[in-house]
Amino acid sequence: MVLCALRRRLLRSSCASWARLLQRPSSGCVYSGVHGFQQEEITEKLRAFPGGSVDLHQQESGIAVLTINHPSRMNAFSGSMMVELEERVSQLESWMDGKGVIVRGADGTFCSGSDLTAVRAISNPQDGMKMCMFMQNALTRLLRLPLISVALVEGRALGGGAELTTACDFRLMASGSVIQFVHKHMGLVPGWGGAARLTRIVGGQNALKLLGGALKVDSGLGLRIGLADGVVEAPGAAEGAGAALRQAENWLSHYTGGAAPVIRAVKKVVSSGRELPLSEALRTEKEVFGTVWGGQANLQALASKSKHR
């Protein structure tokens, strides 16, 4: 009954309301037709610039691996890859058994932002704004997933790739990796929501330094300013190329252990606290609490008296 009441309340709330996103994540876009954004129009335009892929592997453990795969361009996003990213986010939104997601790049590097072939072709301000809105929608939905997310940064994360790291809850940097907001060198500022998210992660002073100076952030600096949450060691020859991913899966497992409904509820209340005014966040927390109170995991914990373990 509590869940049904929550659904009814969410359906009555505005599109901008975060509470609505908890149950209807596919509608959780920052922009819609009200803002002059036509999803079908920009999707068709972006698909005209193919190359690479965005691959999704959903594991029985409840941890998914999202791979940006375009090694010949340092995993830069082609137009079709931007569309695939939005499609993969939609898949994750409907994955009810999911608890976490690791975002990584193929072939030992993270992502170098936008493929310049597509950028040059849509360099007029109107198309640039549409691409901006499309990617802000996709990355905002990625951050708002009811999954705990971590960016595994190997090699370089440049420009839009640096922005992508901020659309995850956590960032793990491999030793020798670099995050760099190079937008100034291109005569730009971030357009995929990276500046807003970066400011919330590292604070205004540090964000100004990173954007204004286009500073190269290695794992040491990342840890000091809070952009990085941990460091994974570069694999030796005996460990193989998947060693960093295995380390990331092990790191993430410390936060995703337990029943999927509980982990997803944890992420939802944190997301609402991160984005909403306090009064709205408190109401959302109450409603989410009602979906797990008396649930299977709660009853099992009460029966086993596991509170103080």
Side-chain angles (χ1 to χ4, degrees):
M1 291 297 291
V2 174
L3 183 57
C4 290
L6 174 59
R7 288 182 184 275
R8 288 195 295 271
R9 176 179 294 181
L10 299 182
L11 288 172
R12 288 196 299 268
S13 62
S14 68
C15 182
S17 170
W18 169 243
R20 181 176 180 179
L21 305 183
L22 296 177
Q23 296 298 328
R24 295 175 60 86
S26 62
S27 67
C29 299
V30 180
Y31 302 105
S32 66
V34 175
H35 308 95
F37 177 70
Q38 301 300 325
Q39 175 91 8
E40 297 78 9
E41 176 191 350
I42 187 60
T43 296
E44 182 179 353
K45 188 178 291 286
L46 291 172
R47 284 193 193 278
F49 305 99
S53 62
V54 178
D55 307 324
L56 179 63
H57 177 49
Q58 294 164 263
Q59 304 176 119
E60 290 185 3
S61 64
I63 304 300
V65 180
L66 184 73
T67 303
I68 313 304
N69 191 353
H70 199 185
S72 64
R73 300 293 179 89
M74 286 182 59
N75 297 329
F77 274 94
S78 66
S80 63
M81 288 172 67
M82 295 180 189
V83 176
E84 286 191 25
L85 174 67
E86 190 272 338
E87 292 171 344
R88 300 296 175 259
V89 171
S90 293
Q91 288 178 249
L92 290 169
E93 285 172 337
S94 61
W95 187 32
M96 300 309 295
D97 295 326
K99 298 189 286 184
V101 57
I102 298 170
V103 179
R104 65 190 291 264
D107 244 19
T109 196
F110 189 73
C111 174
S112 60
S114 303
D115 186 338
L116 292 181
T117 302
V119 170
R120 291 189 186 102
I122 57 174
S123 59
N124 65 80
Q126 294 77 17
D127 285 341
M129 289 288 284
K130 292 173 184 176
M131 182 194 69
C132 168
M133 290 190 284
F134 183 93
M135 289 300 287
Q136 282 193 16
N137 277 351
L139 294 183
T140 299
R141 288 169 57 196
L142 174 62
L143 183 60
R144 288 173 171 173
L145 284 171
L147 310 172
I148 299 177
S149 57
V150 59
L152 171 58
V153 182
E154 299 177 272
R156 288 186 282 180
L158 306 177
E163 294 191 66
L164 175 58
T165 70
T166 68
C168 296
D169 299 309
F170 299 110
R171 282 145 297 281
L172 294 179
M173 296 184 68
S175 46
S177 64
V178 169
I179 299 174
Q180 186 179 13
F181 294 83
V182 297
H183 304 76
K184 186 182 77 167
H185 294 328
M186 301 298 294
L188 296 170
V189 296
W192 296 357
R197 293 188 298 268
L198 178 66
T199 301
R200 290 169 181 259
I201 294 167
V202 303
Q205 295 294 96
N206 284 323
L208 276 174
K209 292 175 183 178
L210 299 190
L211 296 177
L215 301 183
K216 293 182 179 180
V217 181
D218 60 14
S219 58
L221 177 57
L223 288 171
R224 288 197 298 275
I225 65 176
L227 186 58
D229 297 280
V231 179
V232 298
E233 296 302 322
E239 295 175 295
L245 178 58
R246 289 192 293 273
Q247 291 180 61
E249 290 177 330
N250 180 65
W251 188 92
L252 185 56
S253 70
H254 290 92
Y255 308 102
T256 58
V262 177
I263 303 304
R264 294 166 68 86
V266 167
K267 174 61 187 288
K268 289 174 182 177
V269 295
V270 170
S271 294
S272 66
R274 181 165 54 197
E275 295 194 32
L276 290 177
L278 179 59
S279 59
E280 293 181 50
L282 290 171
R283 287 194 292 270
T284 300
E285 184 173 319
K286 170 181 66 70
E287 301 293 357
V288 175
F289 174 82
T291 68
V292 291
W293 177 264
Q296 184 177 6
N298 177 227
L299 294 176
Q300 288 177 345
L302 290 172
S304 62
K305 300 180 181 179
S306 60
K307 179 177 181 180
H308 299 293
R309 290 182 183 177

